[in-house]
Amino acid sequence: MSTPDPKTVGSRLKLVLPEGKKRPWWVFALKLAGWLALTGATAGVVGVVAIYYLYSEGLPAIPKVDEYWPPIVTEVYTDDAVLAGEFYNQRRKVVPYERIPKRLVQAFIASEDSSFFDHLGVDVLGTVRAGLKTIASKLGLRSGGVQGGSTLTQQTAKAVLIGAEGYKSATAKTLTRKIREAILARRLEAALTKEEILYLYLNNVFLGHHSYGVQSAAENYYRKDVRDLTLGEMTLIAGLPQAPSRYSPFLKPEAARKRRTYVLRRMLEEGMITREEHDTANAEPVQVYPVEDVFHEFAPYFVEQARRDIVERYGNPALLEQGLKVFTTMDSERQRAAQEAVLNGLLEVDKRQGWRGPLMNLGTPEERQAFIARAKKAMEDEELVLNRLYVALVTKLEENGQGAEIQVGPHTGRLPLLGMRWARKVNPESYYAPGGMISSVRKAINVGDLIVVRHVKKKDLTDDKDQWDKKLAAEIPDDEVKPAEGAKEGAGAATAEALPAKPKGPKLFRLEQQPEPQSALVSIDPHRQYLTAMVGGYDFDDNEFNRSFQACRQPGSSYKPLVYAAAIEKLGWTQATILVDSPVVEHDPDNKVAWKPENYTSKFEGEVTLRTALVNSMNIPAVKTFGKVGTKNMAAWVQTLGLSTPMNMDFSAALGSSCVYPVELAEVYATFNRYGRKKPTWLIRKIEDRFGRTLEDHTAYDDPWAPLRDRVAASYARLFEPGEQVMSPETGFIVTHLMRNVVLEGTGAPAQRLGKPAAGKTGTTNDSFDAWFAGFTRDLVTVAWVGYDLNPHPLNRYETGGRASLPIWLDYMKKALASRPQAEFTPWPTMELVRLPVDERTGKLVAEDSRNMEYMYFKKGTEPKEAAPRKGEVDERQFLMGQQ
C-alpha cells in the first residue's frame, strides 16, 4: 500500500478547516473518548464473557418447578392423627403458589424488590457496588465483606446454591460467590416465569426461628395456615428476610413492629393497599405464639423410639430432609392416660420412701429477701394456678407445728401439716403406715428452706388416702367464701348479703419433691399388634433413658408364668400337678455356693397344686418346677417366647433373677393373651414419603382410625403373617386361666377394681429393687415397672408389685378401657380341653359341693382320674405315708 502524500492530506484538511485556523482541542478529546469507549466496551464484553464461563462452571442445574423437592419436615402422628413430633434440619413446608395469599406476595415484593416484575433478575448496580466494596475490603481500604442489595431472583439463586453446595460455601462473603449467584439468577430468569421464581423463593426464604418458607413462618409465629394470616401478620413476616434475628417478634417486638410499619408504608406507596388497610394493619399489636413443642409436650419417649426405629431402617437424612409422614400405633388418649398414671403413681411411691430434704437453705435474712425480690420480679402479677408446682421459701413455722407460712413470688400461703405428713426421713427398712407419719412440720422443714410445693384446694392436700386426717382437716379454713348456714342456693342478692359468710382461708399448698424412683409402662393391643401407649420414665427432659426399651430389670415373680408354661407344654403338667412347698438347698458346683430360696412369707405349705403355687406366688414350687424343666431347656424356651436377654444358668432364674426389657415381657404376656401365638408388636403403623407413596404399612384391618384402603390392604397382607404358635393353644389358655385366678384370689387381687375380667401376675425382687405388675384383659396387655435406675437403696419394705406398680397399671387401664366392655377369657371351640372340679389340696376330682373345690382346665388325656376322699374317708396315699 502506498504512503499518503502529505500535500494531499493537507489539501483535504483545508476543505474542513478555514485557512489559517487550528483544529479545536475538544475534537481530539472526543476522538480519544470515542476510541477508549469502543475499546473499553469491547474489553468489557470480553471480560463479561470470560467471567461468565469462568465462574459458571459447576453451577447447579435450574430446578424444575414440578421437581422441586427441598428438605422438608418429617411429621410423626398418633394412630388417631394427632401430631406428636417433627424432625428436620430446616423446618420447611412447601405450599403451592396458588395457596399463598396475593397480599403476602405483594408484601415481599414491596419490601424486598419493588421492580421484580420488570428487571432481568440481577440488580446490576447493587452487584457492581458489592464487588467494588469487596475488592476494597480485600485491599484493606475498608472493613467488611460483600455488601449490596439482591433481587428476589438472586435470593432464590442463593437458596439453590445452598441446597447444592451447602450453607457455608453458598453464603461466603466473597466476590466469586456473588458473581456465581448473579449468573444463576440470570439462568433462573431465562428458564422460569416470575411466578415460578416466587414459588421457589417463598418456600425457601429463611424467616427466623427455624422457619423456612412462609407456611412454616405462619405456623411458627401465629399457629395458622398461611392462607389465614391477616395483613398485619403478613407484613411482619415479609419484613423478616433482611435480618430475621434483628427483627424477631419474640426477642425484639418493637423492632419487628417498626419493620412491619416500613413494609406497610412501601405497600401503600406502591398502591397495593389503601390508607384504611394500612392504618388498620399498623394498629395491630405484635402478638406472636411460639410453635408448640409437641415432641416434648406430648409423648417424647414414644416419639423418640419411633425416631430411632426410622433412622435404623431408613437413615438420618431421610428422617431430617425427606418429609416423611409417620403414623405410629399410639392412641393419643391412652398415651395421656399412661403418662398421668405413671406421674401420679411415682409421686405416691416416692412419698412413701420419705423426704429427702429441701432444695437448699437460705441462712440469712439478706439471702431470703434477695430470693423473694427475684421471685416477685419473675412472677410479677401472675396469679397462682391450681395443681401447678412452685418453688417456695419457708418464712415462718407455726408454734404448734401444725403448719408453715411460705412465700411464692408475690404470694403468701400456708403449708399445713396435712399437706406434708408423709415427710419422714428416708429409711428403706421402715414400713410406710399412718403411724409413721410426722406429727409436726418442724420435723421436716426449717425457716429459710427452699421447697417444691403444689397449689391445691383443701380436699387435695393429700394424694394418698392414708395421709388424710379428719381432725387436721377440720382445723383448716375452707378455700372459698361460702354463705353461712341457712343461705339457700339461688337466693337473691339481698338475702345473701344479709347472711354472714365463712372466712376465706389462706392459699393452701402441699409439699412435693421430684421423684427419685423411676417407672416404665408398656401397653399393647395384642390383636392389632399395636404398641398403643408407652412411657419410659418420669421426665424425658430430665433423663432421656427409655426404661421401657432400654432398662434391663429383674422381673421377679412376673417370670413364673413362663416357668409354669414350660412345664405344662414340655412336661405335660397340669393345674392339678402336686408340688411340694418345703425347704430346699440348691448347690451350684460351678460357683461353689449353696442357695436356699425362701417364700415371701417365710412359711411352707407342704403339698400344693401348681395352681395354688402360682396364684399365691410361692417361690419353692417355682424353683422345683424350673429344675424339672431343666436350665438349658428353660433358656431355649424363654428365647422362643421372645426374650432376647440371656437367662442366668442357675435355679435363681426361676424367681426372675435374669433381667428383661419391659417391652419384651409385655410381648410375652401378649403371646399368652393370644393363647400361644407369637406375633410382632408394631411401633409404627404406616410410613409415607413426601409424595404420599407408602413405604411400609402394618395397619390392622379393624383399626377405626385408618383409611379404608389401608385396612383392606392390611387385611390381605395379614393373611401372610399368621405368626408363630410357640405353644399349643391349650397351654396358652391354661396359663391365662391361671393368671386370671391370680387376679381373682391371689397377689393381683387389687386389679379386680378395674371392673373388667383381667389376668396378670405381680413381680417383686427379693431385694425390693424392682416392682412389677404384668396384666391384661382380652383387648389390652399392659406391664408396669417401678424401681431406681442405679439402685442406691431398695424400695421401702413391702413395696411389692401389688403395692407400687399395680396401682399405676390400674389407673391407666381404667382410663384406657373406659366404656369399652371386655369379655371373659374363654377357650376356643377347637381346643381339646376339659373342665373339671378338682380338690385344691390333693389335685384329685371332687364333687361340685366340696369346700376345697376349684374348676380347672386340662388338656384332654391329662385330666386326673382319681377322686379325692369324701369327708370321713382316709386318703390311701396319706395313710401309707403315715405308716412309713
Side-chain angles (χ1 to χ4, degrees):
M1 186 171 69
S2 59
T3 303
D5 185 353
K7 294 181 179 179
T8 307
V9 173
S11 64
R12 291 174 183 168
L13 289 174
K14 289 178 181 178
L15 296 175
V16 177
L17 296 174
E19 188 71 27
K21 288 191 176 182
K22 295 182 178 180
R23 184 179 178 185
W25 64 270
W26 49 267
V27 173
F28 175 77
L30 284 175
K31 285 187 176 183
L32 180 62
W35 180 83
L36 289 175
L38 179 62
T39 55
T42 304
V45 170
V46 172
V48 168
V49 171
I51 289 173
Y52 180 85
Y53 283 103
L54 179 64
Y55 288 100
S56 63
E57 185 178 354
L59 281 174
I62 301 302
K64 296 181 180 179
V65 173
D66 57 350
E67 296 180 2
Y68 171 60
W69 306 323
I72 56 176
V73 177
T74 287
E75 297 172 318
V76 180
Y77 292 91
T78 66
D79 185 38
D80 46 340
V82 176
L83 182 65
E86 295 180 334
F87 297 101
Y88 50 82
N89 279 329
Q90 300 177 0
R91 192 180 188 280
R92 176 186 289 105
K93 294 185 178 181
V94 175
V95 289
Y97 182 74
E98 295 75 21
R99 273 189 57 192
I100 301 173
K102 179 182 176 182
R103 285 288 173 81
L104 181 57
V105 176
Q106 291 175 326
F108 275 96
I109 291 174
S111 61
E112 294 291 313
D113 188 0
S114 60
S115 59
F116 173 74
F117 284 101
D118 300 320
H119 62 60
L120 298 178
V122 179
D123 178 0
V124 178
L125 292 178
T127 302
V128 171
R129 182 170 60 250
L132 293 175
K133 289 183 178 180
T134 300
I135 293 172
S137 175
K138 296 295 184 182
L139 296 175
L141 301 177
R142 67 181 299 279
S143 60
V146 173
Q147 294 185 8
S150 295
T151 66
L152 292 181
T153 311
Q154 286 177 273
Q155 293 182 47
T156 305
K158 181 192 289 187
V160 173
L161 284 170
I162 290 173
E165 301 176 356
Y167 182 83
K168 184 176 180 180
S169 173
T171 59
K173 294 186 176 182
T174 63
L175 183 59
T176 298
R177 194 273 297 173
K178 198 70 178 176
I179 293 172
R180 285 167 61 82
E181 178 188 294
I183 294 171
L184 188 57
R186 279 296 308 130
R187 290 184 177 181
L188 284 170
E189 287 281 348
L192 304 176
T193 67
K194 290 288 187 179
E195 288 75 13
E196 289 173 333
I197 293 172
L198 282 172
Y199 164 72
L200 296 178
Y201 172 77
L202 293 171
N203 280 299
N204 257 308
V205 60
F206 178 60
L207 297 167
H209 297 279
H210 302 289
S211 303
Y212 287 83
V214 291
Q215 176 64 29
S216 180
E219 294 176 0
N220 271 12
Y221 294 117
Y222 299 108
R223 298 183 184 175
K224 288 183 177 182
D225 188 277
V226 68
R227 293 174 296 183
D228 301 324
L229 295 173
T230 67
L231 179 60
E233 293 165 347
M234 293 178 191
T235 48
L236 186 143
I237 289 174
L240 293 173
Q242 189 181 91
S245 58
R246 189 191 310 164
Y247 300 125
S248 166
F250 292 122
L251 305 176
K252 300 177 180 179
E254 183 58 25
R257 187 191 63 78
K258 290 180 179 178
R259 179 66 178 169
R260 183 187 66 182
T261 299
Y262 164 77
V263 177
L264 285 167
R265 177 171 57 80
R266 288 290 301 122
M267 292 184 75
L268 181 64
E269 292 171 350
E270 294 291 332
M272 297 173 176
I273 57 175
T274 65
R275 169 59 68 178
E276 182 181 357
E277 290 173 321
H278 170 278
D279 295 345
T280 301
N282 200 35
E284 286 184 19
V286 175
Q287 192 169 11
V288 288
Y289 310 92
V291 65
E292 294 178 279
D293 186 359
V294 291
F295 174 85
H296 286 88
E297 294 176 3
F298 188 64
Y301 285 108
F302 200 118
V303 176
E304 170 61 13
Q305 192 61 37
R307 184 197 69 80
R308 289 171 178 267
D309 185 62
I310 295 166
V311 169
E312 182 179 348
R313 293 184 292 117
Y314 294 94
N316 210 41
L319 176 79
L320 298 178
E321 298 178 357
Q322 294 306 310
L324 305 176
K325 275 199 171 181
V326 180
F327 296 91
T328 67
T329 57
M330 183 204 315
D331 181 302
S332 62
E333 291 184 6
R334 288 180 174 177
Q335 182 64 30
R336 290 189 184 96
Q339 292 174 176
E340 290 174 3
V342 167
L343 174 60
N344 295 334
L346 275 180
L347 289 173
E348 290 187 12
V349 171
D350 184 65
K351 288 178 180 178
R352 293 201 295 265
Q353 309 312 302
W355 168 240
R356 294 188 297 277
L359 302 175
M360 63 183 300
N361 181 271
L362 304 178
T364 66
E366 292 76 19
E367 289 177 320
R368 297 167 199 164
Q369 289 302 317
F371 173 81
I372 292 173
R374 290 196 301 271
K376 286 181 177 179
K377 184 177 180 180
M379 288 190 69
E380 296 180 341
D381 298 328
E382 180 184 335
E383 289 296 324
L384 294 171
V385 179
L386 282 172
N387 291 314
R388 181 173 292 179
L389 296 175
Y390 296 93
V391 174
L393 173 68
V394 179
T395 56
K396 181 181 179 181
L397 301 181
E398 296 174 6
E399 290 293 331
N400 60 4
Q402 299 302 293
E405 186 177 295
I406 61 174
Q407 183 89 23
V408 178
H411 307 282
T412 59
R414 183 170 184 257
L415 173 61
L417 176 62
L418 186 59
M420 56 177 293
R421 294 183 68 212
W422 59 271
R424 72 198 192 290
K425 292 182 179 179
V426 174
N427 181 4
E429 294 301 317
S430 69
Y431 172 58
Y432 176 83
M437 296 182 186
I438 63 172
S439 57
S440 170
V441 298
R442 295 176 179 274
K443 293 185 177 182
I445 57 176
N446 295 293
V447 172
D449 282 350
L450 291 182
I451 57 177
V452 178
V453 295
R454 186 186 301 274
H455 180 38
V456 294
K457 293 284 189 180
K458 177 181 173 179
K459 64 182 179 63
D460 296 320
L461 278 169
T462 65
D463 52 2
D464 186 335
K465 64 180 181 180
D466 290 339
Q467 298 176 33
W468 189 263
D469 184 285
K470 291 183 179 180
K471 183 178 178 181
L472 292 176
E475 296 174 358
I476 300 173
D478 293 329
D479 301 298
E480 301 172 353
V481 177
K482 298 180 181 178
E485 291 183 25
K488 295 181 179 179
E489 190 176 343
T495 307
E497 244 178 60
L499 294 171
K502 291 183 179 180
K504 183 179 180 181
K507 294 180 175 67
L508 296 177
F509 297 84
R510 79 179 187 215
L511 184 65
E512 301 285 0
Q513 66 181 357
Q514 180 167 326
E516 186 180 30
Q518 286 288 350
S519 181
L521 186 146
V522 179
S523 187
I524 297 172
D525 182 327
H527 308 300
R528 293 177 182 155
Q529 299 168 238
Y530 284 4
L531 180 66
T532 189
M534 183 268 287
V535 181
Y538 170 71
D539 185 358
F540 181 85
D541 291 329
D542 181 62
N543 190 330
E544 296 181 11
F545 183 64
N546 187 341
R547 294 149 192 88
S548 289
F549 276 76
Q550 297 174 288
C552 197
R553 307 294 304 202
Q554 293 181 344
S557 295
S558 60
Y559 197 82
K560 290 175 182 174
L562 285 68
V563 176
Y564 289 117
I568 294 170
E569 180 72 6
K570 302 292 185 182
L571 305 179
W573 287 16
T574 71
Q575 296 190 51
T577 297
I578 294 296
L579 302 170
V580 180
D581 179 33
S582 61
V584 63
V585 178
E586 298 294 343
H587 295 277
D588 184 348
D590 295 330
N591 298 317
K592 296 181 180 180
V593 296
W595 176 58
K596 183 179 180 181
E598 293 184 353
N599 289 324
Y600 184 75
T601 61
S602 299
K603 296 180 181 179
F604 301 97
E605 300 296 332
E607 290 188 346
V608 296
T609 61
L610 184 150
R611 175 190 182 279
T612 299
L614 180 59
V615 166
N616 295 302
S617 198
M618 295 178 178
N619 289 340
I620 307 302
V623 171
K624 292 182 177 180
T625 302
F626 182 94
K628 290 294 183 180
V629 174
T631 305
K632 290 183 179 179
N633 289 336
M634 272 301 306
W637 172 250
V638 298
Q639 284 190 341
T640 299
L641 292 181
L643 298 184
S644 65
T645 51
M647 189 193 80
N648 293 342
M649 301 304 286
D650 58 62
F651 283 15
S652 69
L655 306 183
S657 66
S658 308
C659 73
V660 300
Y661 296 110
V663 66
E664 290 187 354
L665 187 65
E667 289 181 312
V668 171
Y669 274 70
T671 297
F672 289 138
N673 178 284
R674 291 187 291 258
Y675 298 164
R677 188 171 292 275
K678 183 174 75 171
K679 296 182 178 181
T681 298
W682 302 114
L683 172 76
I684 294 172
R685 178 179 69 79
K686 183 180 181 182
I687 299 180
E688 295 178 349
D689 67 10
R690 69 196 303 160
F691 308 110
R693 298 176 301 198
T694 299
L695 302 182
E696 63 178 85
D697 191 353
H698 308 289
T699 302
Y701 73 91
D702 59 345
D703 185 340
W705 300 104
L708 178 60
R709 60 184 175 82
D710 290 351
R711 286 184 279 148
V712 171
S715 63
Y716 178 75
R718 291 288 176 97
L719 294 175
F720 303 95
E721 299 176 356
E724 179 186 2
Q725 194 72 42
V726 293
M727 66 185 81
S728 69
E730 290 82 0
T731 297
F733 172 75
I734 289 171
V735 174
T736 296
H737 184 253
L738 284 167
M739 288 192 282
R740 176 77 178 108
N741 287 307
V742 171
V743 170
L744 288 174
E745 55 188 277
T747 56
Q752 293 182 58
R753 295 200 295 270
L754 178 62
K756 296 175 172 65
K761 185 69 187 75
T762 54
T764 311
T765 56
N766 286 338
D767 50 17
S768 296
F769 282 124
D770 297 276
W772 298 75
F773 186 73
F776 52 90
T777 64
R778 284 288 295 270
D779 298 333
L780 198 60
V781 178
T782 301
V783 168
W785 165 85
V786 172
Y788 293 103
D789 277 340
L790 301 177
N791 294 340
H793 53 78
L795 295 168
N796 279 351
R797 289 181 64 191
Y798 307 115
E799 286 288 357
T800 63
R803 182 170 173 79
S805 295
L806 199 155
I808 295 175
W809 181 93
L810 184 61
D811 185 10
Y812 163 72
M813 293 289 279
K814 281 183 176 179
K815 296 171 184 173
L817 295 174
S819 304
R820 292 181 174 92
Q822 298 293 293
E824 186 58 83
F825 299 97
T826 54
W828 299 335
T830 56
M831 289 183 183
E832 296 185 349
L833 292 171
V834 293
R835 180 174 179 263
L836 298 171
V838 177
D839 184 351
E840 179 71 5
R841 298 172 305 171
T842 64
K844 296 181 180 180
L845 297 174
V846 294
E848 295 188 11
D849 58 354
S850 172
R851 184 178 61 181
N852 299 311
M853 184 270 295
E854 291 290 345
Y855 276 101
M856 300 184 188
Y857 284 92
F858 301 89
K859 297 179 185 179
K860 283 185 178 179
T862 66
E863 64 270 22
K865 307 299 183 183
E866 295 183 55
R870 294 181 179 275
K871 188 175 182 180
E873 293 182 348
V874 177
D875 187 328
E876 182 180 351
R877 184 182 55 173
Q878 292 179 343
F879 175 76
L880 292 175
M881 290 178 63
Q883 292 296 313
Q884 294 175 359

